[in-house]
Amino acid sequence: PEQEGAYAYEEPLMPPAGEGPDVSPFDDVQETTARMDSDLAEFDKEFILQGLARLYKKKILPLELSSRYGHFHSPPLSPSDFEAPPMVLLLGQYSVGKTSFIRYLLGRDFPGIRIGPEPTTDRFTAVLWGPNDKVVPGAALCSQLHRPFGGLNPFGNNFLSRMEGSELDAPILRNITLVDTPGILSGQKQRSRNYDYEGVMKWFAERADLIIVMFDAHKLDISDELKRVMELMIPHLDKIRIVLNKADSISTQQLMRVYGALMWSLGKVMNTPEVSRVYIGSFWDAPMHITEQAELLQKEELDLCHDIMALPQQAVMRRINEMVKRARSVKVHAYIIHYLRKQLPYTWGKKEKQRRLIARLDSEFLAAARRYGLPKGDFPPVEPFRQALYEIKDLSEFPKLDKKLVREMDKVFSIEIPALLERARLHQC
């Protein structure tokens, strides 16, 4: 196969046609979907989601596989990732009320529920609709093709033994899936997990439609593990909702101070000028301890419930949005690999050259962005990418970038998704 090296002819320093910073096929679909968002009732949503799965498999997946995107980022998507109900991910430190919040939404206990002041939820629990109450072990759950959890299999048996599904017939579960997570620990306990906890959280964050981070009004400390997990969520800020739970156990004056302290802590962790929306409430079925702010808490709880119940209506637009984000990431990744591969010599000295490229990866990212006209905001974090590159023995073994695949992927967002939405409208009529 043809090899391109540092001693071969270099392409001129200009982006390929249609790839300059002023031309973005990904932006076309956003205008189309925004215009159609107001009348989603006219669409056959199942028709659209199945069409998105076909487009992904035909137009985006080939570029993912050829550039080994899954090794650097996340595994390929399956049809169930598109067609499954919206997913709500709950996370927080132990005993902040995550499991009680799920029971609050369901209006009843679910199979395998464990609630207590100590760290009781020691596993990931997907609460799903089913005709009968039952607990499904993690390995069996991740093997079900109609469930969106097949991508968790690579995390191995140590993780699968800490995963389970809980099926029950609750009306809300016909439209959404709830995922309870182990309470985030502090201190030495953080090192006791025998699986890639942060990798699993990243996987769920990428696929969740809503991420609810819960805090207890009595313990606002953010442990190192919680800080690292929340940093993983920064690319998904639009999905994050913060919940200050057990607010009925403190007075109004104390609540003001606690709210201010929480906002200050979140601003430091997320390192953004604007923090996600914070809901204040007491999400359990017991009477309120202090009733002086009862009206406020009821309004906040209602707002959060409306936010959750709106997810099914927003599912189509969110699936399109997530596919756009993933495709932009795949395109940048493919060009990064292409650029690094081009820097390698034809014959000897490949290993040493590759080592030097990885060592100065941040400057190579900038060079690739200039050469191919790629947005710097679409580039991945340098350190995780560097660690993944260390596991690659020889970059020259990657296949040469097929730019036809890139052009075909670009057409998905400028032509094929708008056409799919129009076909869905006619199909519904």
Side-chain angles (χ1 to χ4, degrees), residues 84-307:
M87 186 186 301
V88 178
L89 177 68
L90 289 100
L91 62 94
Q93 298 185 139
Y94 70 90
S95 299
V96 296
K98 300 185 299 296
T99 308
S100 297
F101 178 75
I102 292 178
R103 184 170 66 176
Y104 171 87
L105 292 177
L106 299 177
R108 53 162 289 192
D109 289 348
F110 57 87
I113 187 172
R114 291 179 290 275
I115 296 177
E118 73 284 358
T120 50
T121 303
D122 62 345
R123 62 192 63 231
F124 288 81
T125 303
V127 185
L128 314 144
W129 183 87
N132 303 306
D133 289 14
K134 66 177 179 180
V135 173
V136 182
L141 181 70
C142 296
S143 300
Q144 296 177 353
L145 296 180
H146 66 290
R147 303 288 193 195
F149 303 111
L152 291 168
N153 280 309
F155 290 102
N157 285 330
N158 285 339
F159 165 71
L160 294 178
S161 65
R162 295 293 181 182
M163 172 82 183
E164 69 182 17
S166 178
E167 293 186 1
L168 67 155
D169 186 7
I172 191 174
L173 296 179
R174 293 181 179 272
N175 297 308
I176 64 172
T177 294
L178 302 167
V179 178
D180 194 9
T181 61
I184 294 174
L185 306 173
S186 58
Q188 295 293 324
K189 296 177 183 177
Q190 294 172 18
R191 303 189 184 95
S192 64
R193 304 191 194 275
N194 59 354
Y195 59 90
D196 184 4
Y197 176 79
E198 291 177 21
V200 172
M201 294 299 290
K202 181 181 178 184
W203 187 94
F204 274 110
E206 289 173 350
R207 287 157 176 78
D209 295 82
L210 196 67
I211 302 169
I212 296 178
V213 185
M214 302 196 74
F215 290 90
D216 187 329
H218 292 280
K219 47 182 182 182
L220 297 180
D221 59 305
I222 297 180
S223 67
D224 292 343
E225 188 172 54
L226 178 57
K227 184 175 184 290
R228 290 196 300 271
V229 169
M230 293 188 70
E231 287 170 350
L232 293 174
M233 306 295 158
I234 289 177
H236 313 287
L237 281 176
D238 58 317
K239 304 178 186 179
I240 294 178
R241 304 294 183 271
I242 308 295
V243 172
L244 181 58
N245 198 20
K246 306 181 185 179
D248 66 323
S249 59
I250 56 178
S251 67
T252 303
Q253 184 180 25
Q254 291 171 324
L255 181 59
M256 290 174 58
R257 293 173 178 166
V258 167
Y259 181 85
L262 176 61
M263 296 295 284
W264 181 81
S265 299
L266 290 173
K268 290 186 65 178
V269 171
M270 294 186 166
N271 198 26
T272 56
E274 296 181 359
V275 180
S276 302
R277 168 72 193 271
V278 177
Y279 295 89
I280 303 170
S282 181
F283 296 95
W284 62 339
D285 50 10
M288 289 189 179
H289 294 299
I290 299 175
T291 59
E292 57 188 73
Q293 63 263 17
E295 185 178 355
L296 168 66
L297 299 187
Q298 288 169 358
K299 288 180 179 179
E300 290 282 291
E301 291 169 12
L302 194 59
D303 284 351
L304 180 56
C305 289
H306 284 163
D307 213 355

